[in-house]
Amino acid sequence: MGYDAPFTVTLALPDGRLLSSPVVPVGFDRQPRARFVWVWDTTGLSGSQSFTVTLLAPPDVRDTELANNVLTLEVPLQNRTALPPPEPGVRWDLQSAPGIRLHYVTGSAAERDAATLLALAQGAYADVAARLGVTTTEALDIYALDRVVGQGGYATSDWVAISYTDRAYAPAEMTLLLRHELTHRLDSAWECDALPALFREGLAVWVAGGHYWPESLPRKASGLLQTGRYIPLEQLLADFYRQQHEIGYLEAGALVAYIVEERGWEGVQQLCGAFTAARGDESARLTAGLTAVDLPAMPQLEQEWLRWLRSLHVSAEELRILEGEWLLMDTMRLYQQLHDPSANYLTGILFDPAAAVERGITADLVRRPRDPEAISLELLLQMTQEALRTGDPEEAAATLEALRVALHDGTSAAPEAVVRMRALVEAVMARGYEPYRTICFEDGADVGQRAPGCVVYALDRSNWPTKRLLWAARGADFDSWTVVGPQLEN
Ligand SMILES: [Zn+2]
């Protein structure tokens, strides 16, 4: 911003308290912001509430540069009883198994599936601990969030937060996500925790077996080289987190795969140890680490790695899926920005779940858009994900194109696929169910039905979170649906 002191925002709360916060770069995108997190408790309040927000300039800015610096906001408080399930009345609870404490909110999908989740987490913990030769007795705290946040998970050295919700529009597979975050937690055993983000993230992706789902990192990175979207390693070393997210992680994982290929898994441990023991700036320490395992320094290592990647064969089909995945993730983040900004990892808050448990706060880790428009967009994101994973890039591309038009132009002029999905969601919700997955058929006979339509996996709002299976028959118009069922639980 070019000023000596930061700007300040003050917030006058309806109860008369005056809070202030400096405007400083916060969030992964490092944009200047003032944040007031969990400062106002609305318990017992109702009706419209009024806030005053004031932007104050530092002393070296003339007042005339700061016209219109006061904003008054009216916030209508909704009645708690209007909240959809599992709210109101949720609270944090936990279940334990050896090595794992699973925290969740009551009435959530995570509570319903706690036994499965605990077993999964124990398996992931055992995998990663074995890889790194760690025996640990310290229990891991996992917080299951009842909404998608970021790409599905985030962690500190004290805990791991994972999104666990039935309408999982972010593609991350639970096991991979847990292995990834656990690698960050345990890599200090090999002294890898001091390495640049490029290597630490690469290590986590490699140990997990893929970024969001199991995949061949070298083959994908080889495909990347044909797309013109390659990011030079120098750029990733300098500023890893602000590059295109999936490409940065893919290159990181493929680089670690190369080191393992050339010097074995023990080579990674030696590299980490030598880096950590070395003195000097990051680049000198990296050279020391690479030299210790007889690998060339950058940029020669990059050249040799690229030569290795180029020797791998990638089919045109694989390439289309790869580009579809990036577009899907960018579209997912665009959806978050427009409909659920606090979920976007670049601009959002990434709430501390341990602090939330301590303070009895649940809303930020449960509440999310639940209107037909948001639900239909999430279902389309999820359908795209399934199309890509089952190897149908054409279907995925068509759905993504429709989604992007709807997100850019609003749903009033939305493509048919979006209007149709929204009408389907409205028909299902009118019967008291909230869809979390749909599979549509051009010919209903494929699934023993007379008309074209969709199998709808839904949750019962009157008996949350019980799963139900419905059939929605498509009428002649693209927005008319007849919902039957639930036929069975699933
Ligand atoms: Zn990571």
Side-chain angles (χ1 to χ4, degrees), residues 28-29 31 33 147-148 150-151 169 329-348 369 377-378 381 404 407-408:
F28 272 112
D29 61 353
Q31 290 301 304
R33 296 184 174 92
R147 58 180 292 216
V148 172
Q151 280 72 231
Y169 69 83
M329 296 310 294
D330 286 338
T331 308
M332 184 202 93
R333 287 184 285 262
L334 178 63
Y335 161 75
Q336 290 178 325
Q337 235 156 37
L338 297 172
H339 290 265
D340 194 7
S342 69
N344 186 288
Y345 85 109
L346 276 176
T347 55
L377 295 171
E378 289 181 9
L381 282 168
R404 292 185 74 81
L407 287 169
H408 283 295

Side-chain angles (χ1 to χ4, degrees), residues 187-228:
D187 67 1
S188 57
W190 278 16
E191 299 182 301
C192 295
D193 52 329
L195 262 70
L198 170 65
F199 285 88
R200 274 199 94 190
E201 294 299 351
L203 188 63
V205 170
W206 190 86
V207 170
H211 189 196
Y212 299 128
W213 52 63
E215 60 197 355
S216 164
L217 297 160
R219 293 176 68 81
K220 275 196 153 175
S222 176
L224 161 72
L225 299 181
Q226 297 179 45
T227 64

